[in-house]
Amino acid sequence: ANLALKARLDDAKAKGLLAQAQEGKRNQGEYDRALAAAQGALSRGEYDEAIKQANLALKARLDDAKAKGLLVQAQKGKTKQADYDKALAAAREALAKGDYDEAIKQANLALKARLDDAKAKGLLAQAQERKTKQADYDKALAAAREALAKENYAEAISQANLALKAQPGDSTASQLLTQAQQKQDLQKARALFDQGNYDDSLALCSSHHDPASNSLAESNRAERAAFNGANTKFSAGDYLFIEQLRSQSYSGKKPFAD
């Protein structure tokens, strides 16, 4: 076009061709820059920027297949990003609320939107682990309650400890454990008391402060004092206490019967 103008100055056709060529060159430069920018933004997951640049490339070159392809990819990527963000937030919220089935569902939706995503996989693993622990906890807690009701204190203690293993520090399981240990100790203390083993019985009673333990402790002290008094009189040759002793409810048990 420049050569044509050199041969024929101000020729309209040559000037038109020159203008078209210059515009085409400008458009090509704008297209190349926009296409490269769209590709870069898409690779970084910057979907709004990729859409913007792909549209600029299409403005420079209408219906260009590459630019249209990038635009479609960016739009799909943006939709998947929105789905991923929504599902990930829902999974975190459900996990915090202890709704593990919902957390698992939402984490899987996030993974559907973004395959092998580390955050979504981490949330999924947490939800699955906590669901398993919740099931273990529920099972053990129910078993502990049942054993406690049946006065099987050793089993109640075992199951309460399993519940605490699944949920460390849980107040309900801790209370059940305390109740079972207290009742087991009281049961043992009563057996020792019946055998006249006052010191060991008192030791168990002293580890608790419930009314039943306190009452048994008083009975231990009273019988121990009576036995020590009887021993003192017997050693001194005073046997008059024997008739008094026979009227007491504990006269036929150890150590008095001995």
Side-chain angles (χ1 to χ4, degrees):
N2 279 320
L3 289 174
L5 282 169
K6 187 176 180 181
R8 187 179 292 180
L9 296 175
D10 294 326
D11 179 73
K13 289 182 179 180
K15 288 172 73 176
L17 285 171
L18 179 61
Q20 288 179 44
Q22 289 171 334
E23 183 179 359
K25 185 177 181 180
R26 280 195 303 274
N27 285 347
Q28 182 64 44
E30 290 172 358
Y31 167 82
D32 290 340
R33 283 192 297 274
L35 198 72
Q39 289 169 333
L42 188 63
S43 68
R44 294 189 299 272
E46 298 171 4
Y47 301 116
D48 285 331
E49 182 63 17
I51 289 169
K52 174 186 173 183
Q53 294 297 333
N55 279 320
L56 287 176
L58 283 168
K59 185 178 179 182
R61 186 179 292 178
L62 298 176
D63 294 324
D64 178 71
K66 288 183 180 179
K68 286 172 76 174
L70 283 172
L71 180 60
V72 169
Q73 288 182 59
Q75 289 169 333
K76 285 182 178 179
K78 183 177 180 179
T79 299
K80 283 190 174 183
Q81 180 67 47
D83 291 344
Y84 167 82
D85 291 340
K86 181 181 177 182
L88 201 71
R92 283 174 173 150
E93 184 179 356
L95 190 63
K97 290 179 179 177
D99 188 350
Y100 304 125
D101 286 332
E102 182 64 17
I104 289 168
K105 174 186 172 184
Q106 293 297 332
N108 278 320
L109 286 175
L111 284 169
K112 185 178 179 181
R114 187 180 293 179
L115 297 176
D116 293 324
D117 178 72
K119 290 180 181 178
K121 286 172 77 174
L123 280 171
L124 179 61
Q126 286 182 58
Q128 289 170 331
E129 181 181 1
R130 291 187 191 180
K131 182 180 179 180
T132 299
K133 284 187 175 181
Q134 182 67 49
D136 292 343
Y137 167 81
D138 292 341
K139 181 181 177 182
L141 199 70
R145 284 177 172 145
E146 183 180 355
L148 190 62
K150 292 179 178 178
E151 299 184 3
N152 186 349
Y153 304 125
E155 180 64 14
I157 290 168
S158 174
Q159 292 297 331
N161 277 319
L162 286 175
L164 284 169
K165 183 179 179 181
Q167 287 194 16
D170 178 72
S171 60
T172 303
S174 294
Q175 288 172 7
L176 274 173
L177 178 61
T178 298
Q179 287 178 48
Q181 289 172 331
Q182 180 178 319
K183 288 182 180 295
Q184 185 184 59
D185 284 350
L186 185 60
Q187 189 180 60
K188 289 178 179 178
R190 280 180 178 145
L192 290 167
F193 171 72
D194 290 342
Q195 294 164 13
N197 189 342
Y198 302 121
D199 290 340
D200 289 344
S201 181
L202 271 169
L204 284 172
C205 290
S206 65
S207 61
H208 303 286
H209 304 288
D210 60 290
S213 296
N214 292 337
S215 177
L216 183 58
E218 285 302 315
S219 297
N220 269 288
R221 292 188 189 100
E223 286 196 15
R224 184 172 64 179
F227 178 71
N228 290 339
N231 250 346
T232 300
K233 289 178 180 180
F234 184 82
S235 298
D238 180 2
Y239 306 118
L240 294 175
F241 74 92
I242 295 175
E243 288 302 320
Q244 295 175 343
L245 179 62
R246 284 173 180 163
S247 66
Q248 300 299 323
S249 61
Y250 48 76
S251 61
K253 62 180 280 190
K254 286 185 177 183
F256 296 97
D258 296 341

